[in-house]
Amino acid sequence: MPGEHVRDPVRRTKGTLTLRAPSSPRRSHLITHPTASAVILTDDRVLLLKSTKGTGSYIYPGGHVENEDPATAVLREIREETGLDVELLYRPCFSHPKVAEVPRPFMVMDIGVRDKQIGRHRHIDAVYLARPLAGEVVLNHESSGYLWVPVDEVAALAVPEELPDLITAAAAYAASLVP
C-alpha cells in the first residue's frame, strides 16, 4: 500500500483488540479510500515488493478498489503489480443460486496513511490470502524489486511494524484451509 503509515493507539487486553471507533474525532474527518491487498504465500514463503513510494519498505501487493468488489480489485492489483495469476484462499460461508459470492478477505484493516498527493488519510483495506497459480513475477513501476521471504524472516526486513505479525497470522490461517 502506498504511503507512510500513521500510527493510532490500539489497546490490547488478554487476546482482545480494542480499536478506536471509526467515528472518532481523530479519524472521522479524514478522506477514506477502500483498498484491497494480498498476502501471497507459497512453500512457507511470502512475496514482498520493494515499494518505490513512501519509505521504500517491503510490502505486499495491493491498491485502491475502483468501482469493483474487493476480490476483483485485489486480483487486478496483483496482476498489475506482479504479473502473477493467483488463487484467493478463503473459507466459503454461504452460497445460493440467486446471488454471486464475493470471496471474503482474511481480515479488514483501518490504516492511517500519508502520501505526497493526498496527505493524511485512511485506507480501509481488505487483506486477502492468495497462492500463485502461474507466471513469473514481473514488476510494474510501483516496485523496484521483490523477495520470496520465509514467513519467519519477514521481521528482519524493512517492513511496516504490523507486517511480521500479520503475515504470521495469515500463514497460520492459510494452513488451516488446506484439507
Side-chain angles (χ1 to χ4, degrees):
M1 303 299 303
E4 173 186 325
H5 287 255
V6 178
R7 304 284 178 229
D8 275 345
V10 174
R11 191 178 73 206
R12 296 173 193 274
T13 313
K14 294 184 181 179
T16 62
L17 182 66
T18 305
L19 299 174
R20 181 172 296 133
S23 60
S24 162
R26 284 191 68 208
R27 298 188 80 158
S28 63
H29 69 283
L30 296 177
I31 294 170
T32 300
H33 294 155
T35 58
S37 59
V39 175
I40 302 173
L41 299 161
T42 187
D43 300 323
D44 295 322
R45 294 178 180 269
V46 62
L47 177 63
L48 295 177
L49 309 177
K50 181 138 178 89
S51 177
T52 59
K53 301 176 182 178
T55 62
S57 62
Y58 283 94
I59 57 175
Y60 45 81
H64 291 89
V65 176
E66 300 172 0
N67 196 31
E68 62 205 336
D69 66 71
T72 300
V74 77
L75 293 172
R76 175 184 51 75
E77 287 288 344
I78 292 168
R79 187 85 164 116
E80 288 174 3
E81 294 180 15
T82 71
L84 292 175
D85 290 322
V86 300
E87 172 186 26
L88 297 181
L89 305 174
Y90 69 101
R91 185 171 287 124
C93 294
F94 174 78
S95 69
H96 191 278
K98 294 283 187 177
V99 296
E101 178 185 15
V102 174
R104 67 182 184 155
F106 164 63
M107 70 166 305
V108 178
M109 293 193 299
D110 183 340
I111 309 168
V113 294
R114 184 183 321 258
D115 68 26
K116 292 177 184 175
Q117 290 180 319
I118 299 170
R120 189 167 178 240
H121 61 286
R122 296 168 56 203
H123 284 174
I124 305 300
D125 189 34
V127 181
Y128 286 88
L129 303 181
R131 74 172 151 226
L133 293 174
E136 296 293 319
V137 175
V138 177
L139 301 175
N140 70 5
H141 66 281
E142 296 179 43
S143 302
S144 61
Y146 73 93
L147 297 170
W148 284 102
V149 182
V151 169
D152 60 358
E153 294 178 19
V154 171
L157 298 172
V159 295
E161 182 180 335
E162 70 281 359
L163 204 63
D165 290 341
L166 173 65
I167 289 173
T168 298
Y173 181 75
S176 78
L177 296 174
V178 177

